[in-house]
Amino acid sequence: MGWNDAAFLSIDGRVTDPGESDMRRGVVPFAAIAFLAASLPGAGAAPARDPAAPPVYADRIIAPESIAIRAALAQAKADGLFASKAEAAAITAYYAAQGYVPTWTADGRLTDRAKAVIGRIDDAAADGLDRAAYKTPWPGLGAYVAVTPEAVARADILLSVAVADYGADASTGRINPKSISENFGYEIKRPEPGATLGAVAAAADPAAALDGFNPPQKEFAALRAKLAAVRGAKAETPPEVPAGPALKPGMSDPRVVVIRERLGLPAATVDPDVYDDAAVEAVKAYQASARLKPDGIIGNATLAAMNRVAADPVATILVNMERWRWMPRDLGTFYVQANIPEFMVRIYDQGTVAHETRVVVGKTTNQTPVFSDSMEYVVVNPVWNVPASIAVKEMLPTIRANGGNLRGYQVYAKIGGRFRAVDPRMINWHSVDMRNIQIKQPPGERNALGSIKFMFPNEYAVYLHDTPSKSLFQRDHRAFSHGCVRVMEPWAFADALLAHDPGWSSARFKKLVGGPERRVDLPHRIPVHLTYFTAQIDDAGNLRVWDDVYGHDRKMAKALGL
């Protein structure tokens, strides 16, 4: 048999035709070796084959590195190296597709690309991840003392697993959002391990490719930089301001000394306990930066804000970085973000804040959910369809006490399979099955939704809307709704929302006020993100912290072992 007639036997025993792919897969035709050997000086006839010897089924040699990789994969499964059966199958399939050729090793040692990847994984803690979760081989493996092919193969597999696991955690986080609260509506889909490994292995710069699995948003990068700064700074905890009665300008209180230190003011040489003009102006500036009422009065809200910053910020930064991993990687070029702990909503256009205003969010017992969706339409003169939970838990006791009198509401009862308008006084509210009752509030000045609502249909049935209860916007803590988000300046919000649509404006919407309910479809869907970020880095590089109103930070910190 000559060179062109050589047959090939794969590792699993299949006979194949020779080809370039076999060479890449670490396979050398035995016929070629025999042909070359026969042409060497002194070559003679091969000795006769012993009839008792095992039969020869193939005429090719399999590279020992490929044999070692295959054996290392089997051993890794037995040792529980893989996070799951799915990961084991995916990484095994990746190597099989490569012909079991090593990815990170060559000539008995780790390649420079492998060392770069290990160096990037070494920075996992700076990314807000746990470095100990990713086992990697020693970078000097085989560089000083020869090691066995089995040890080299295991190192190759070990690094591949680390790459797959880091990529999954960096892109989607270490916690399932639903394990924290059902009010997190993110659908997390972890990247396929083989695809992650393949993308990093094929990249011109594998370390940069691995870094690319982290959230791309500038807010995440700012938190990462602040985390490094906080960890690198001298461990000094700012003084905590003791509790006490509200401090007003001109009052004298020993806490003023601590407040001045907290705000970086020089110590007063005369009457240090007096809350003087300089301290008042510094407090007003702080209140404005913290989005509190800048009145210079140090009440509970201002005191709490000051002491939040005084606490160790590392855990707060880490849980916020984790939540960024749950967010869509592409927020949109024009989008709405309502940040629950901040009680603010903003419209972003090309990365710049185009509009912002205060909002009221859900109470702790009626939490506003956290998720992303798309706004599709606006409703002017909305009818409020009272949710069943509100009708039963809040309205029904009052209705029973008032003899069925529901001023300002319409009641519908299921009759003959259809809901029909009925006189509420004709219903026995003490025995009625509320599943057969619908309560609606028609459009008007007293309507709970105000004059306009902004709709992004979702499983939680929440939306942004106007409200007749304007006074709540003046409070610093604004968690009072049943879950929907009330907007302080809905008409200005509408103008900013439709800035790129010349066909509609708040003026045109206002002309519809007072009539029947009217739906207006938006020409383009607008991404909406209801977020829960308790920490943010402002334009000056300062860490801004807000109350953990729903306790999500606490639960996440526990889940992360912080």
Side-chain angles (χ1 to χ4, degrees):
M1 179 169 59
W3 172 268
N4 292 330
D5 298 322
F8 290 72
L9 184 68
S10 66
I11 290 177
D12 57 8
R14 293 180 294 105
V15 177
T16 61
D17 291 328
E20 182 182 359
S21 61
D22 295 276
M23 295 301 218
R24 287 200 303 264
R25 291 165 56 187
V27 180
V28 182
F30 185 76
I33 297 175
F35 175 82
L36 292 172
S39 66
L40 294 175
R49 179 177 176 275
D50 183 354
V56 177
Y57 294 106
D59 58 352
R60 80 175 188 176
I61 296 175
I62 302 170
E65 293 87 350
S66 297
I67 297 175
I69 286 290
R70 187 168 185 178
L73 284 166
Q75 188 62 47
K77 294 178 186 177
D79 294 344
L81 180 62
F82 300 106
S84 64
K85 290 182 179 179
E87 182 179 72
I91 291 180
T92 299
Y94 162 81
Y95 275 101
Q98 309 300 313
Y100 299 98
V101 170
T103 295
W104 308 110
T105 55
D107 300 322
R109 65 185 66 186
L110 291 168
T111 64
D112 290 341
R113 290 167 59 83
K115 294 175 184 177
V117 168
I118 293 172
R120 183 63 192 82
I121 294 175
D122 282 341
D123 288 335
D127 302 324
L129 300 174
D130 180 8
R131 174 62 181 91
Y134 317 109
K135 298 179 181 178
T136 54
W138 177 48
L141 180 76
Y144 309 103
V145 178
V147 294
T148 65
E150 291 77 16
V152 175
R154 181 171 177 81
D156 208 281
I157 304 301
L158 191 66
L159 185 52
S160 290
V161 173
V163 166
D165 290 348
Y166 175 94
D169 289 348
S171 59
T172 62
R174 293 177 281 166
I175 306 173
N176 183 341
K178 295 292 187 183
S179 70
I180 302 302
S181 172
E182 286 297 324
N183 278 328
F184 280 106
Y186 300 117
E187 295 296 330
I188 301 300
K189 184 177 181 181
R190 291 175 74 80
E192 198 275 331
T196 298
L197 179 55
V200 175
D205 185 342
L210 197 59
D211 178 65
F213 281 87
N214 284 291
Q217 290 86 1
K218 62 180 182 181
E219 293 90 344
F220 177 85
L223 285 170
R224 180 162 55 183
K226 178 58 68 173
L227 177 65
V230 169
R231 283 173 166 168
K234 184 178 179 181
E236 292 183 357
T237 302
E240 183 170 315
V241 183
L247 274 173
K248 298 181 180 180
M251 292 178 65
S252 182
D253 191 301
R255 293 178 298 162
V256 173
V257 175
V258 182
I259 291 169
R260 295 180 73 95
E261 184 179 353
R262 284 287 297 113
L263 298 178
L265 294 174
T269 56
V270 179
D271 296 328
D273 292 350
V274 174
Y275 188 25
D276 60 17
D277 291 343
V280 170
E281 290 306 313
V283 167
K284 286 182 178 180
Y286 172 78
Q287 289 173 324
S289 70
R291 302 193 181 281
L292 301 171
K293 186 177 180 180
D295 55 9
I297 300 174
I298 305 176
N300 291 334
T302 300
L303 199 63
M306 285 184 176
N307 287 335
R308 276 199 305 274
V309 178
D312 179 9
V314 170
T316 299
I317 293 174
L318 288 175
V319 296
N320 280 272
M321 291 176 72
E322 179 79 358
R323 282 194 290 267
W324 271 108
R325 302 183 198 280
W326 302 343
M327 292 281 289
R329 293 182 71 84
D330 182 6
L331 302 181
T333 56
F334 185 86
Y335 64 90
V336 175
Q337 180 185 5
N339 191 31
I340 295 165
E342 193 181 1
F343 308 118
M344 293 291 293
V345 65
R346 295 180 178 88
I347 295 176
Y348 288 85
D349 191 353
Q350 301 293 336
T352 301
V353 177
H355 179 78
E356 66 177 8
T357 189
R358 294 185 167 201
V359 295
V360 171
V361 300
K363 298 176 287 188
T364 56
T365 53
N366 299 94
Q367 298 179 10
T368 297
V370 184
F371 67 102
S372 296
D373 214 301
S374 295
M375 190 177 296
E376 300 179 13
Y377 61 95
V378 172
V379 176
V380 182
N381 305 315
V383 172
W384 182 36
N385 296 294
V386 179
S389 59
I390 297 177
V392 172
K393 296 178 182 179
E394 300 182 27
M395 298 183 70
L396 186 56
T398 303
I399 295 171
R400 288 171 174 170
N402 293 340
N405 186 18
L406 266 85
R407 293 181 55 188
Y409 290 89
Q410 297 171 339
V411 177
Y412 294 78
K414 183 179 284 188
I415 302 173
R418 296 175 56 190
F419 281 96
R420 305 174 187 274
V422 297
D423 185 339
R425 293 171 297 182
M426 303 302 294
I427 297 174
N428 185 342
W429 291 100
H430 291 277
S431 61
V432 67
D433 184 347
M434 291 297 288
R435 292 173 297 183
N436 296 323
I437 297 294
Q438 290 181 348
I439 301 176
K440 299 184 179 186
Q441 187 180 30
E445 294 182 356
R446 297 170 60 90
N447 186 283
L449 307 183
S451 299
I452 188 171
K453 66 178 180 178
F454 306 88
M455 302 299 294
F456 41 102
N458 56 82
E459 62 177 302
Y460 300 99
V462 298
Y463 40 86
L464 277 67
H465 65 86
D466 182 19
T467 176
S469 304
K470 307 292 187 183
S471 62
L472 294 178
F473 291 114
Q474 303 308 314
R475 300 194 184 186
D476 293 325
H477 183 89
R478 297 187 292 278
F480 299 107
S481 81
H482 287 91
C484 286
V485 180
R486 306 175 190 173
V487 181
M488 181 177 178
E489 300 168 337
W491 300 117
F493 180 82
D495 276 333
L497 193 69
L498 299 168
H500 297 293
D501 178 28
W504 283 95
S505 66
S506 64
R508 187 174 177 186
F509 280 136
K510 287 180 180 179
K511 291 180 180 179
L512 303 176
V513 174
E517 184 176 78
R518 174 75 180 272
R519 168 173 167 162
V520 179
D521 291 326
L522 299 177
H524 306 287
R525 293 191 174 188
I526 300 172
V528 177
H529 308 287
L530 302 186
T531 61
Y532 194 90
F533 292 118
T534 57
Q536 175 184 307
I537 311 304
D538 63 20
D539 293 339
N542 299 313
L543 176 65
R544 298 276 308 283
V545 180
W546 295 283
D547 276 339
D548 181 20
V549 290
Y550 296 157
H552 295 328
D553 279 10
R554 175 178 49 79
K555 293 179 182 178
M556 289 182 65
K558 182 178 180 181
L560 291 171
L562 302 178

